[in-house]
Amino acid sequence: MFNIVDILWQLFYLALLVLLFVMVVKSIRFLIKHMTKMNNLENKKDELNERLKKKDE
């Protein structure tokens, strides 16, 4: 009986580690995608500001 409980505990622990790994990978991918979007928006904002400055001159 103890052997079965030990195997189930190890499977649960392994599943928990796999879930944690998947969550870390997903969060890293989300951050990379989000930072890329923010960088693109910042570049567009800078470009628009430069256009406005040229227009004012």
Side-chain angles (χ1 to χ4, degrees):
M1 186 65 185
F2 177 74
N3 198 12
I4 294 172
V5 173
D6 194 35
I7 290 171
L8 286 175
W9 175 251
Q10 286 179 353
L11 285 174
F12 172 75
Y13 190 68
L14 182 66
L16 199 64
L17 285 176
V18 169
L19 186 65
L20 182 67
F21 180 73
V22 168
M23 291 298 289
V24 167
V25 169
K26 279 189 173 187
S27 63
I28 290 172
R29 287 179 61 201
F30 172 77
L31 282 175
I32 290 172
K33 186 184 273 187
H34 188 67
M35 290 298 169
T36 306
K37 276 186 182 177
M38 291 299 288
N39 195 15
N40 288 343
L41 286 175
E42 192 171 316
N43 288 343
K44 286 181 182 179
K45 185 189 75 162
D46 291 341
E47 184 182 327
L48 285 173
N49 281 338
E50 285 185 21
R51 280 189 193 176
L52 283 173
K53 283 181 186 175
K54 287 180 182 175
K55 194 175 185 181
D56 287 340
E57 289 175 359

